[in-house]
Amino acid sequence: MSPADLDLRQFAVLGLVAEASRLALDYFNKRDSLGITMKGEQDWLTVADGAVEAFLRERLAVLFPADAVIGEEGGGEAADAVWIIDPIDGTANFAHGDRNWCISIGLLLNGVPEIGIVSAPALDEVYVGRRGRGATLNGEPIKVSGQTNMAHSCIEIGWSTRIPHADYLATVQGTLVAGASVRRVGSGTLGICHVAVGRTDGYAEHHINAWDVAAAMAIAAEAGADLNDFFAGDGIRTGNPILCCTPGLSAELERITGIICRRKGD
Ligand code: IPD
Ligand code: CA
Ligand code: CA
């Protein structure tokens, strides 16, 4: 795909995400009357998830019919050029009236995150990353914190019921023992974006899905984060662990989490 093809996609999809953000925010403001169901234990679903994904799929099919799409709610198959969508990441937050949720859409080209767009409408924040072209928050360039001291760091450890409690607690324990403060906001996508903008110093989760990370990885990589090779193996279909952090803490976080970053040039 040429740089011009990518430019076209980046700007067109930014427009789609702005529309999708208004749609999602409307649902958020009316959430008391929304249909909210559970897909499983602590796995929330609202009508906004389905509506936002359907809107993005419909528009992408018209604008870029040759591009494949994978979405959390509607599925899909991998391809050389594939959009990966999480219509609402942080659905539990959304359902509870917490503003930390976002729409995430990333373009993966031959297994590499190329474009990432993450919009958090209730926070009025839009992150964009494009491989080789930098990362921005609301149009301003962003970069990782540059922290090198675990004892001054804030690390987010993502959680889901897909991981045994003991494994989650061991990672939290190891991170605390290393001197970090530990938090969990409840949106893996925003968690990675927060590393990119230097609000936190690292994000780790022992299992996460491709739609949670595809866009945010493009953003974090351009902001200077170290990342593991999430799309190795069958990551696109079945998920993988994720580690994203400011480079000065990657050795320590690799030791604690067992998740190994891919270095530049690897
Ligand atoms: C979840 C959130 C959560 C992360 C989970 C994800 P959802 O996605 O990103 O923070 O820890 O791994 O499944 O269900 O809110 O789209
Ligand atoms: Ca998600
Ligand atoms: Ca979701």
Side-chain angles (χ1 to χ4, degrees):
M1 205 174 278
S2 72
D5 289 333
L6 290 170
D7 286 347
L8 186 65
R9 281 165 173 74
Q10 180 179 339
F11 293 107
V13 173
L14 209 45
L16 296 188
V17 170
E19 269 191 73
S21 297
R22 286 191 288 275
L23 178 68
L25 197 54
D26 261 9
Y27 280 113
F28 183 66
N29 290 331
K30 291 185 304 212
R31 75 192 163 280
D32 290 343
S33 57
L34 271 194
I36 297 180
T37 50
M38 304 297 288
K39 288 196 277 187
E41 205 190 332
Q42 288 291 343
D43 195 1
W44 297 72
L45 183 67
T46 76
V47 293
D49 298 68
V52 169
E53 185 166 321
F55 168 83
L56 290 171
R57 279 178 180 275
E58 227 168 78
R59 295 297 185 90
L60 283 171
V62 173
L63 288 170
F64 307 111
D67 295 0
V69 178
I70 294 177
E72 177 174 12
E73 309 307 335
E77 291 302 321
D80 290 350
V82 56
W83 293 97
I84 305 187
I85 301 174
D86 192 341
I88 307 282
D89 185 66
T91 299
N93 288 347
F94 184 105
H96 286 92
D98 181 316
R99 293 175 179 273
N100 286 290
W101 55 269
C102 61
I103 295 171
S104 172
I105 176 163
L107 178 66
L108 207 68
L109 274 191
N110 302 311
V112 179
E114 187 71 33
I115 296 173
I117 299 174
V118 171
S119 169
L123 303 170
D124 211 11
E125 293 192 333
V126 179
Y127 296 86
V128 178
R130 165 95 173 264
R131 199 164 68 88
R133 301 262 186 107
T136 56
L137 167 55
N138 291 349
E140 297 298 324
I142 54 173
K143 60 177 171 49
V144 293
S145 68
Q147 183 59 258
T148 54
N149 184 347
M150 279 294 280
H152 295 174
S153 73
C154 176
I155 307 297
E156 181 163 0
I157 313 290
W159 171 85
S160 80
T161 53
R162 300 184 299 272
I163 289 293
H165 295 165
D167 294 356
Y168 180 72
L169 292 171
T171 299
V172 169
Q173 166 89 4
T175 311
L176 290 172
V177 166
S181 91
V182 171
R183 74 171 185 176
R184 173 179 179 263
V185 171
S187 158
T189 306
L190 285 180
I192 295 167
C193 290
H194 292 160
V195 176
V197 72
R199 291 180 189 163
T200 61
D201 306 296
Y203 184 92
E205 184 161 350
H206 286 294
H207 177 270
I208 199 158
N209 286 302
W211 44 81
D212 301 309
V213 299
M217 284 177 73
I219 294 161
E222 285 299 311
D226 274 357
L227 288 150
N228 64 310
D229 190 5
F230 174 87
F231 286 101
D234 208 10
I236 193 164
R237 272 195 340 107
T238 57
N240 258 332
I242 187 80
L243 174 61
C244 170
C245 59
T246 193
L249 299 182
S250 53
E252 187 80 337
L253 287 168
E254 285 174 344
R255 182 189 63 73
I256 294 164
T257 63
I259 309 168
I260 305 303
C261 288
R262 180 185 178 143
R263 309 281 169 225
K264 284 199 170 65
D266 279 4

